[in-house]
Amino acid sequence: MLDTEKSSHPAPDSFVAKAHVDAARYEQMYQASVDDPDAFWAKEGKRLDWIEPFTKVKNANFTLGEVSIKWFEDGVLNVAANCIDRHLATRADQTAIIWEPDEPTDPALHITYRELHENVCRFANVLLSQGVMRGDRVVIYMPMIPEAAYAMLACARIGAIHSIVFAGFSPDALANRINDCGAKLVVTADTAPRGGKRTALKSNTDAALLHCSDKVRCLVVKHTGDQISWIDGRDVDVKAMMKTVAPDCPPRPMGAEDPLFILYTSGSTGKPKGVVHSSGGYLAYAAMTHQLTFDYHDGDVFWCSADVGWVTGHSYIVYGPLANGATTLMFEGVPTYPDAGRFWEVCAKHGVNQFYTAPTAIRALMGQGSEWVEKHDLSSLRLLGTVGEPINPEAWEWYNETVGKGRCPIVDTWWQTETGGHMITPLPGAIPTKPGSATKPFFGVQPVLLEPNTGEVIDDTAAEGVLAIADSWPGQMRTVWGDHARFEETYFQQYPGYYFSGDGCRRDADGYYWITGRVDDVLNVSGHRMGTAEVESALVAHKAVAEAAVVGYPHDVKGQGIYAYVTLMNNETPSDELRKDLETWVRTEIGPIAKPDLIQWAPGLPKTRSGKIMRRILRKIAENDYGALGDTSTLADPSVVDDLIENRMNKG
Ligand code: 6R9
């Protein structure tokens, strides 16, 4: 076992010499950012081009009942113009997006800023022709293809609010999101190739739209040419139409606080929340974190392997990099297709300088052996990053040694859909890393550890508690779409005066932060967030199921696996067939990422006398940790616990 707290990895001197921020500058800038946030962010806000400059900087109130977050509120800008137009004078012929297709034998695309401009303008004109107006919502359900970025930026250009739904979600999940945000239009593609398989996006969209207003239009990108059904008057062939509309479309002036996008994410209760992000503050924060966390310099090739369906793809494939005039790589495929060397082949092929991925991918590839990495020339790599979940020291060491050859700093970035950008992360030239620690706060971020029960701030440097943030930062979410009360309840109620992250955290004697995982009923499966309540409600919607309780358990590759305890209806009998049926059922209700890894038949669930399921106990059983079951005396029927232990799924 490594003593990770003591294992400190400073960046090589040659890296520090060129870095945007070194140790002294980090200390000085961090202090300035918390001493006088208005002055600090007034300067950083000027990273963007403003149509009307802002005169106000920060205006935030975390008081329950009055929660309001505004940044640069009287400024006027356009996000697409910041990501494209302002670069045309100096870098029109520079590649903005490198697109790497699923099949390595298909040609990659290099899209210049000039081409990006024309494609986004044409896409925007298609949206306008379909009656999409400022403030309207557009749902994007797309493969990882350039048109996904065009669609996002086209919305931003005309002031429409996009909401991307990850292409792995089911028609039901898609319909719920279309309806929740009242989208006027859905952008999709015929099919999405991934790892040599195809997801039928158009037919999923057809199925979803059966549950939506018949006014919702459907723009279809014919990407693979696979056969699809077509409804005249509702469906529009985007590529064909892009050829007929004008190649220019003026960017619409937008208020800094106008919503840029909505992104649905899971919480501990209820249906997924529509997290709303702003235009000005979000973009300034995404741009700044992209430049400083990854130490991005002009001419570098940056690759974030996330999907644009997640916040990581929004901030670090599209908005952050493009606002900085970067070259950003977009990959359609998966790490293991056609073989476990694909990531490294792509890094070598395109001369990637900064590579950003999830611990689950690193673990999966580590399991395939180092020879897949060693086949490829990774000398272009200068920095590696991780996001989405805690990284275990073994995976960290492998990433560091085998991929980074010990010379690439690893930035372990802690942040959330809600935070818009990195919150706790090493700045690579400034902060020596420790395997498994997200290290120190980004500028303007004031983390505090709270005692979970009393909510008191823990002042000791070395401490453990729940992680909250004491003041606002520009990338913070502004509200839950259509439900501001839910925003306040979820993030500001339990610990008054703070933004509550939902994560547990330890701080070591050096002031480094170590995220220990969620303290609520949110699962993190392969870096994907999921509420236990969502999986449970999918299970109980099955006719054979009376009751279900879902918990996470440690999984070697996924970080957490989904463990479902299922109580069947009286007239049903457990069988392998039924188990398979339930797995398929959850896949169709939510999507493949929500499929339970283990289903245990539970004649009864441990409940308190008031009928509350004691998840703490179920978690311990799933973790194989019976010694720590704790007090079971408050259970209505303690004997159910013995039965559950007896019939546990992943024994040994
Ligand atoms: C960006 C993103 C957020 C949750 C978060 C935490 C976990 C993210 C992490 C991490 C440990 C890191 N998380 N980054 N845990 N170390 N570097 O992942 O957003 O999908 O909203 O998930 O992911 O539990 O609360 P999102």
Side-chain angles (χ1 to χ4, degrees):
M1 188 66 192
L2 300 154
D3 187 349
T4 50
E5 277 194 18
K6 297 212 178 71
S7 152
S8 170
H9 297 249
D13 292 344
S14 57
F15 187 99
V16 177
K18 288 198 209 129
H20 290 299
V21 180
D22 63 13
R25 195 159 149 75
Y26 170 76
E27 292 302 334
Q28 173 252 318
M29 276 177 77
Y30 183 77
Q31 208 51 50
S33 74
V34 295
D35 288 348
D36 190 350
D38 268 34
F40 183 88
W41 290 108
K43 183 159 168 270
E44 294 300 333
K46 299 200 175 88
R47 288 176 169 269
L48 305 181
D49 278 7
W50 296 85
I51 300 165
E52 299 271 356
F54 55 86
T55 63
K56 297 185 188 152
V57 182
K58 174 172 163 244
N59 179 4
N61 183 351
F62 282 6
T63 312
L64 194 64
E66 303 167 19
V67 177
S68 161
I69 294 143
K70 292 180 178 161
W71 284 86
F72 314 116
E73 60 190 284
D74 58 351
V76 174
L77 81 167
N78 182 278
V79 167
N82 271 283
C83 291
I84 311 170
D85 304 43
R86 66 166 171 161
H87 305 311
L88 293 178
T90 51
R91 48 178 105 237
D93 296 316
Q94 181 201 305
T95 300
I97 299 176
I98 299 174
W99 179 68
E100 173 68 23
D102 189 44
E103 288 298 337
T105 46
D106 286 347
L109 295 178
H110 290 77
I111 299 146
T112 65
Y113 273 94
R114 191 197 316 281
E115 290 163 338
L116 181 63
H117 179 262
E118 180 174 337
N119 284 314
V120 169
C121 284
R122 286 184 185 274
F123 207 112
N125 284 328
V126 173
L127 292 174
L128 289 172
S129 78
Q130 299 306 306
V132 176
M133 290 188 290
R134 177 193 178 120
D136 283 346
R137 275 78 60 206
V138 170
V139 163
I140 300 176
Y141 183 62
M142 288 277 266
M144 284 286 287
I145 54 177
E147 286 79 4
Y150 303 161
M152 296 164 79
L153 292 160
C155 287
R157 199 163 186 89
I158 63 171
I161 304 167
H162 63 69
S163 183
I164 307 192
V165 176
F166 173 57
F169 278 120
S170 68
D172 273 2
L174 175 60
N176 289 339
R177 286 156 176 78
I178 293 170
N179 292 334
D180 187 83
C181 72
K184 206 172 204 177
L185 184 144
V186 186
V187 184
T188 190
D190 43 13
T191 56
R194 253 182 116 238
K197 299 188 194 115
R198 291 197 176 177
T199 310
L201 294 185
K202 173 61 164 64
S203 81
N204 283 354
T205 308
D206 289 339
L209 287 175
L210 294 175
H211 306 283
C212 305
S213 153
D214 56 14
K215 294 199 180 69
V216 181
R217 300 222 153 195
C218 183
L219 297 194
V220 185
V221 175
K222 291 189 177 170
H223 171 50
T224 56
D226 286 344
Q227 196 150 29
I228 48 175
S229 58
W230 200 261
I231 298 184
D232 284 328
R234 185 197 74 180
D235 297 344
V236 176
D237 179 341
V238 190
K239 281 189 181 169
M241 192 145 183
M242 278 172 76
K243 294 197 182 105
T244 68
V245 294
D248 200 6
C249 171
R252 173 140 204 169
M254 301 298 291
E257 280 301 317
D258 283 334
L260 176 63
F261 65 85
I262 304 168
L263 186 57
Y264 285 85
T265 193
S266 300
S268 49
T269 53
K271 57 183 178 129
K273 299 180 281 284
V275 168
V276 176
H277 278 291
S278 69
S279 298
Y282 168 81
L283 191 66
Y285 199 72
M288 183 180 185
T289 48
H290 171 260
Q291 183 197 26
L292 301 187
T293 303
F294 301 116
D295 198 46
Y296 186 87
H297 292 265
D298 260 357
D300 286 347
V301 175
F302 176 78
W303 181 14
C304 162
S305 78
D307 191 283
V308 289
W310 310 115
V311 73
T312 307
H314 286 64
S315 300
Y316 301 113
I317 296 176
V318 179
Y319 290 116
L322 296 179
N324 290 333
T327 298
T328 181
L329 193 147
M330 191 176 193
F331 175 44
E332 188 180 32
V334 298
T336 47
Y337 179 81
D339 60 45
R342 188 70 193 277
F343 268 181
W344 323 120
E345 183 225 13
V346 174
C347 283
K349 177 174 170 188
H350 298 293
V352 170
N353 302 110
Q354 292 95 356
F355 177 64
Y356 189 36
T357 196
T360 183
I362 299 168
R363 285 191 298 267
L365 295 176
M366 180 173 76
Q368 303 285 316
S370 302
E371 59 272 24
W372 293 106
V373 189
E374 278 145 17
K375 274 187 194 167
H376 303 280
D377 173 9
L378 295 181
S379 57
S380 62
L381 285 175
R382 255 202 1 258
L383 173 136
L384 301 170
T386 70
V387 58
E389 52 178 320
I391 182 163
N392 50 312
E394 295 72 22
W396 194 97
E397 291 294 349
W398 185 82
Y399 201 30
N400 186 44
E401 294 300 326
T402 308
V403 180
K405 320 288 180 213
R407 63 179 164 73
C408 302
I410 297 180
V411 291
D412 176 347
T413 61
W414 175 81
W415 60 295
Q416 309 177 295
T417 305
E418 293 88 339
T419 71
H422 304 148
M423 296 293 280
I424 301 182
T425 176
L427 292 191
I431 302 168
T433 59
K434 299 184 190 187
S437 172
T439 77
K440 302 262 189 158
F442 191 76
F443 301 125
V445 174
Q446 299 180 48
V448 287
L449 297 185
L450 305 177
E451 206 287 314
N453 298 314
T454 63
E456 267 166 49
V457 177
I458 309 173
D459 287 321
D460 302 344
T461 305
E464 185 157 354
V466 296
L467 178 60
I469 311 292
D471 202 353
S472 186
W473 62 98
Q476 185 170 21
M477 74 182 281
R478 301 305 198 248
T479 189
V480 169
W481 181 260
D483 198 349
H484 195 68
R486 191 167 176 208
F487 175 53
E488 297 206 356
E489 279 156 26
T490 310
Y491 304 103
F492 301 94
Q493 181 165 297
Q494 201 172 346
Y495 302 106
Y498 298 98
Y499 166 81
F500 173 45
S501 69
D503 280 319
C505 185
R506 185 162 53 82
R507 187 167 52 209
D508 71 16
D510 298 326
Y512 276 47
Y513 290 85
W514 301 72
I515 309 297
T516 52
R518 302 288 304 194
V519 294
D520 53 14
D521 290 325
V522 172
L523 303 176
N524 190 332
V525 180
S526 298
H528 300 321
R529 238 170 104 165
M530 224 171 309
T532 50
E534 283 170 76
V535 186
E536 287 166 6
S537 64
L539 282 166
V540 295
H542 189 283
K543 65 175 185 352
V545 177
E547 208 169 20
V550 167
V551 296
Y553 72 98
H555 187 288
D556 284 350
V557 173
K558 299 179 178 183
Q560 259 187 326
I562 301 180
Y563 195 114
Y565 296 87
V566 171
T567 309
L568 293 174
M569 296 287 190
N570 272 338
N571 55 349
E572 298 283 345
T573 18
S575 68
D576 284 346
E577 211 181 333
L578 183 53
R579 183 175 277 132
K580 288 227 167 56
D581 194 37
L582 290 181
E583 288 171 5
T584 318
W585 176 261
V586 177
R587 282 177 70 106
T588 16
E589 287 277 304
I590 308 176
I593 53 171
K595 182 177 92 65
D597 295 280
L598 297 166
I599 295 178
Q600 173 172 351
W601 307 120
L605 293 170
K607 289 188 192 162
T608 61
R609 287 188 196 103
S610 63
K612 259 195 158 168
I613 295 175
M614 305 252 312
R615 287 165 194 288
R616 176 176 57 80
I617 291 176
L618 294 176
R619 240 179 257 135
K620 291 292 173 198
I621 297 173
E623 285 166 8
N624 222 346
D625 191 7
Y626 317 127
L629 284 184
D631 184 10
T632 55
S633 63
T634 57
L635 287 174
D637 176 6
S639 74
V640 297
V641 173
D642 300 330
D643 179 87
L644 291 177
I645 293 176
E646 186 72 14
N647 295 299
R648 216 178 130 267
M649 288 302 296
N650 53 343
K651 289 202 172 84

